[in-house]
Amino acid sequence: MEAGEFYDKLVTGDRFVYIAGPCAVESADQILKTARFLSRKGIPVLRGGAFKPRTDPGSFQGLGTKALEYLAEAKEETGMLVATELLDYDTLPSFMDSVDLLQIGSRNCQNFPLLRKVGRMDKPVILKRGFGNTIDEFIKAAKYITNEGNKRVIMVERGIRTFEPATRFTLDVSTIPVIKERTGFPIVVDPSHPAGLARYVEPLALAGIAAGANGIMVEVHPDPAAALSDPLQQLNFDSFTSLLEKSDAILKALGRVPIRLEEYEGSQFDIYK
Ligand code: PEP
Ligand code: MN
């Protein structure tokens, strides 16, 4: 399936999407292992940062274009769609072949020139809420994209900064009904960045699904303790599997149908059967 078709399926059928993968692409082995695991579970979209926005300039900044090559390999082998963050417009040419969905990170949610530029692209945009932005500002950010012609925006609630230090950010579940009421965009919950700790990821994800989210975007790593970024919050394969069982049960109760990789035309899913 091509990304535009995938987006339209998500919106018109009011479907649900699982987006998963590591915080950052760290090696060919790491991303391929993760993509193989996720594709066997039928997960349609692989996430993985190539260019990382890090608070500390001394910490791992991502593998850059090398990571995009590894993502392309993972896409080729599994048939998954690939989502990665566009941190800087100058790197866009290297995204064209390997990236299906352009992610705009929380820190760039109000980078208006960047929003305008992705608004001229023919790829769906995953727009993450600025952690200091109101819902109204978040919606207006999306309008910067759609005003340029690209109507395919996926909104992501990833937590906001509040006075509460027990979690990394505070997941604002109320974004879900408000975005649904005020826009026609799908709203996806990222439980990983607000949780900050792997053991809080599942309850936040399930809360988002129960509140009517159109998807979840979860950080999954083959060996979280060894991760080069966000090691504390990434789920290992076993924890992700257990989350998937519970979230599928809630979706079933709600009568919502997750998009599975098997549905893709040309999917290589059957190589695992
Ligand atoms: C990410 O999802 O890779 C990320 C950096 O998250 P955020 O932009 O929400 O901080
Ligand atoms: Mn991360």
Side-chain angles (χ1 to χ4, degrees), residues 5 23 26 30 37 40 42 44 52 65 67 90 99-100 103 129 145 174 176 181 187 194 198 236 239 259 264:
E5 233 179 286
C23 179
E26 298 169 354
Q30 173 241 22
F37 161 73
R40 283 190 190 103
K52 295 301 299 174
T65 47
D90 291 348
V99 182
D100 300 292
Q103 183 175 322
R129 180 181 181 182
I145 300 170
S174 43
I176 299 160
E181 186 177 85
I187 170 78
N236 61 27
S239 318
I259 298 174
Y264 289 15

Side-chain angles (χ1 to χ4, degrees), residues 39 42-44 78-81 259-264 267 269:
S39 60
I43 305 303
T78 63
M80 294 175 84
L81 292 175
I259 298 174
R260 296 287 187 199
L261 181 58
E262 301 92 294
E263 290 177 39
Y264 289 15
S267 156
F269 190 80

Side-chain angles (χ1 to χ4, degrees), residues 22-24 47 52 168 192-193 219 229-230 233-234:
C23 179
R47 63 145 289 150
K52 295 301 299 174
R168 190 174 177 195
S192 304
H193 290 91
E219 287 189 343
S229 60
D230 291 349
Q233 73 194 27
Q234 302 201 58

Side-chain angles (χ1 to χ4, degrees), residues 6-16 214 255-257 259:
F6 156 81
Y7 181 89
D8 296 345
K9 186 179 254 212
L10 180 62
V11 176
T12 49
D14 194 24
R15 299 283 298 272
F16 182 94
N214 296 95
R256 314 209 47 192
V257 186
I259 298 174

Side-chain angles (χ1 to χ4, degrees), residues 116 119-121 143-152:
R116 281 203 192 95
R120 291 182 214 123
M121 305 295 308
K143 281 199 183 130
Y144 270 92
I145 300 170
T146 56
N147 279 353
E148 298 297 318
N150 187 353
K151 309 288 184 202
R152 292 180 170 130

Side-chain angles (χ1 to χ4, degrees), residues 4-261:
E5 233 179 286
F6 156 81
Y7 181 89
D8 296 345
K9 186 179 254 212
L10 180 62
V11 176
T12 49
D14 194 24
R15 299 283 298 272
F16 182 94
V17 64
Y18 288 107
I19 303 171
C23 179
V25 177
E26 298 169 354
S27 66
D29 182 58
Q30 173 241 22
I31 195 68
L32 284 169
K33 241 187 217 155
T34 311
R36 283 175 193 141
F37 161 73
L38 293 171
S39 60
R40 283 190 190 103
K41 298 279 175 201
I43 305 303
V45 184
L46 176 69
R47 63 145 289 150
F51 299 90
K52 295 301 299 174
R54 304 305 303 283
T55 301
D56 182 348
S59 53
F60 177 60
Q61 303 287 311
L63 297 180
T65 47
K66 202 76 207 150
L68 297 176
E69 284 170 30
Y70 299 153
L71 284 167
E73 276 177 48
K75 175 180 160 69
E76 171 75 19
E77 184 182 319
T78 63
M80 294 175 84
L81 292 175
V82 162
T84 197
E85 179 167 350
L86 180 70
L87 192 56
D88 174 350
Y89 186 71
D90 291 348
T91 61
L92 189 66
S94 54
F95 279 52
M96 296 320 287
D97 293 338
S98 48
V99 182
D100 300 292
L101 299 113
L102 299 171
Q103 183 175 322
I104 299 294
S106 187
R107 289 151 193 84
N108 272 321
C109 184
Q110 287 190 306
N111 182 340
F112 304 123
L114 186 63
L115 297 177
R116 281 203 192 95
K117 281 170 180 155
V118 296
R120 291 182 214 123
M121 305 295 308
D122 187 25
K123 288 182 191 285
V125 177
I126 296 178
L127 178 64
K128 301 194 77 176
R129 180 181 181 182
F131 54 73
N133 287 156
T134 63
I135 297 174
D136 189 55
E137 287 164 343
F138 186 25
I139 293 171
K140 284 181 172 135
K143 281 199 183 130
Y144 270 92
I145 300 170
T146 56
N147 279 353
E148 298 297 318
N150 187 353
K151 309 288 184 202
R152 292 180 170 130
V153 179
I154 296 174
M155 308 289 274
V156 178
E157 166 59 45
R158 50 77 72 211
I160 52 175
R161 182 154 286 164
T162 67
F163 53 80
E164 179 51 68
T167 53
R168 190 174 177 195
F169 294 92
T170 299
L171 180 69
D172 181 6
V173 179
S174 43
T175 312
I176 299 160
V178 177
I179 292 286
K180 288 186 139 192
E181 186 177 85
R182 297 198 197 161
T183 79
F185 301 127
I187 170 78
V188 164
V189 163
D190 166 357
S192 304
H193 290 91
L197 293 172
R199 65 180 180 277
Y200 298 152
V201 170
E202 183 177 290
L204 298 190
L206 298 180
I209 295 169
N214 296 95
I216 54 172
M217 183 190 216
V218 186
E219 287 189 343
V220 178
H221 191 288
D223 181 10
L228 300 179
S229 60
D230 291 349
L232 300 179
Q233 73 194 27
Q234 302 201 58
L235 297 187
N236 61 27
F237 294 173
D238 284 348
S239 318
F240 183 73
T241 302
S242 118
L243 166 60
L244 210 50
E245 280 163 17
K246 290 178 195 164
S247 51
D248 273 348
I250 296 180
L251 288 169
K252 198 166 176 204
L254 294 174
R256 314 209 47 192
V257 186
I259 298 174
R260 296 287 187 199
L261 181 58

